[in-house]
Amino acid sequence: MKAKRQIDARVSTVAAAPRAAMLIESMRDIGYSLESALADIVDNSITAGASTVRLFAQVNATSPRIAIVDDGQGMTRAELLDAMRPGSRSPLETRESNDLGRFGLGLKTASFSQCRRLTVVSRRDGTVSAARWDLDFVAEVNDWLLEVPEEPLEIQWTDRIGPHGTLVLWEQLDRLTDSGSPEEVQRHFIRRLDEAREHLELVFHRFLTGEKRLRKLAVALNERPLVPFDPFHTAQSEAGPIERISQDVSGQAFTLPHHSKVPADDWESTQGRPGIPVIRAST
């Protein structure tokens, strides 16, 4: 156990807590895209033991919003309030093998990167709890004040939560709807959702397929199931040996078949969308 640091009597201390209004705005610019932000939320669902994740998007230009609903284990009120705290877990803590988080920031930073209002509703042991970060309210009071809605069942899409699970709701999507006519905003939003769907189909293809040693995950966007996209075309490709790069990282090469042996549509899809790196981690 690390020894407690002794304070030098010759040195005074001054509290220097960060200004909430400034820091919470800075947390919005860590570098998330819509697809990577959604992937972070799905990571949390997998860690919570979910087998189903449903994404809902309201795409009208006046009040666009996105919801992610899972059937994971859910959270108690105390667990929810702790999960909404920035830096809720130390990266030095020992974690379970299925825990894809590290810093206790993903839910907040991923959400803030896309919206100014984050609401989380969770049901566990028959009790529904809710908490909300409203960035405009934080800026107004300049304090880390988390709102706790008194009637969580009235929050949109809460009725989609089953006996246990969690809803993550993004409102005031200023990064997705910040300019253009209502028609242009709507078209842009729909295009970005399509790109995000393709990204999730690639990144989570092993979970969507239900590969060995992975819990199968069903994901849908506005009730349209995601279809796993295997960039390696495992059934047709030649797999190389698994090579251990370090204690925690292994790599495996796949040689794709000649294009003459693959249907034209399959060959075109093999290329994937430009800009998405393809990495497969062994488990």
Side-chain angles (χ1 to χ4, degrees), residues 59-80:
V59 299
N60 66 68
T62 55
S63 57
R65 57 193 64 186
I66 294 174
I68 304 96
V69 183
D70 69 40
D71 63 351
Q73 64 186 6
M75 292 177 281
T76 64
R77 184 179 188 276
E79 290 171 337
L80 172 59

Side-chain angles (χ1 to χ4, degrees), residues 32-72:
Y32 282 96
S33 60
L34 172 61
E35 47 263 55
S36 62
L38 286 171
D40 239 23
I41 305 302
V42 176
D43 280 347
N44 289 344
S45 296
I46 292 173
T47 299
S51 59
T52 301
V53 177
R54 291 181 292 168
L55 288 76
F56 300 96
Q58 183 173 296
V59 299
N60 66 68
T62 55
S63 57
R65 57 193 64 186
I66 294 174
I68 304 96
V69 183
D70 69 40
D71 63 351

Side-chain angles (χ1 to χ4, degrees), residues 105 196 207:
L105 285 168
F207 290 92

Side-chain angles (χ1 to χ4, degrees), residues 233-255:
H233 284 255
T234 308
Q236 299 171 308
S237 300
E238 181 181 341
I242 296 177
E243 299 182 11
R244 185 163 297 280
I245 299 171
S246 68
Q247 181 178 353
D248 300 315
V249 179
S250 296
Q252 185 177 23
F254 286 80
T255 303

Side-chain angles (χ1 to χ4, degrees), residues 10-271:
R10 297 167 296 176
V11 178
S12 61
T13 59
V14 177
R19 292 184 176 89
M22 295 182 181
L23 182 57
I24 208 164
E25 290 291 340
S26 299
M27 292 171 65
R28 307 193 70 200
D29 295 310
I30 291 180
Y32 282 96
S33 60
L34 172 61
E35 47 263 55
S36 62
L38 286 171
D40 239 23
I41 305 302
V42 176
D43 280 347
N44 289 344
S45 296
I46 292 173
T47 299
S51 59
T52 301
V53 177
R54 291 181 292 168
L55 288 76
F56 300 96
Q58 183 173 296
V59 299
N60 66 68
T62 55
S63 57
R65 57 193 64 186
I66 294 174
I68 304 96
V69 183
D70 69 40
D71 63 351
Q73 64 186 6
M75 292 177 281
T76 64
R77 184 179 188 276
E79 290 171 337
L80 172 59
L81 296 180
D82 190 54
M84 292 291 272
R85 185 192 311 276
S88 55
R89 290 193 64 179
S90 168
L92 302 178
E93 286 184 30
T94 301
R95 294 175 179 262
E96 299 294 332
S97 60
N98 68 333
D99 190 340
L100 303 179
R102 182 164 177 80
F103 300 102
L105 285 168
L107 168 65
K108 284 74 67 175
T109 54
S111 300
F112 295 160
S113 73
Q114 305 301 312
C115 71
R116 298 195 62 82
R117 197 178 195 205
L118 162 66
T119 304
V120 179
V121 184
S122 198
R123 174 179 282 127
R124 186 168 183 178
D125 298 330
T127 301
V128 179
S129 307
R132 173 182 296 132
W133 279 116
D134 186 320
L135 303 195
D136 293 328
F137 176 65
V138 172
E140 179 183 342
V141 299
N142 196 23
D143 200 357
W144 298 98
L145 295 182
L146 186 65
E147 297 180 284
V148 180
E150 294 295 329
E151 301 293 339
L153 295 178
E154 296 180 2
I155 296 170
Q156 186 177 8
W157 286 303
T158 297
D159 61 329
R160 303 301 182 101
I161 304 175
H164 50 81
T166 299
L167 158 69
V168 175
L169 175 62
W170 294 348
E171 299 174 280
Q172 299 180 19
L173 301 167
D174 59 328
R175 298 289 174 89
L176 290 169
T177 59
D178 60 352
S179 62
S181 66
E183 293 77 15
E184 291 172 332
V185 167
Q186 187 175 49
R187 284 196 298 269
H188 173 70
F189 191 11
I190 293 173
R191 183 173 64 254
R192 295 292 291 112
L193 286 171
D194 284 339
E195 293 170 352
R197 174 183 52 78
E198 292 177 359
H199 180 84
L200 296 176
E201 289 176 336
L202 168 63
V203 170
F204 294 103
H205 76 271
R206 301 184 67 197
F207 290 92
L208 294 170
T209 304
E211 286 192 17
K212 186 178 180 181
R213 289 180 290 177
L214 292 178
R215 182 191 306 110
K216 187 170 184 178
L217 182 70
V219 184
L221 172 57
N222 283 346
E223 306 296 1
R224 176 185 173 188
L226 270 61
V227 179
F229 168 56
D230 178 3
F232 311 101
H233 284 255
T234 308
Q236 299 171 308
S237 300
E238 181 181 341
I242 296 177
E243 299 182 11
R244 185 163 297 280
I245 299 171
S246 68
Q247 181 178 353
D248 300 315
V249 179
S250 296
Q252 185 177 23
F254 286 80
T255 303
L256 298 178
H258 191 270
H259 67 83
S260 63
K261 298 181 180 180
V262 181
D265 290 344
D266 288 349
W267 181 258
E268 184 176 349
S269 68
T270 300
Q271 302 174 60

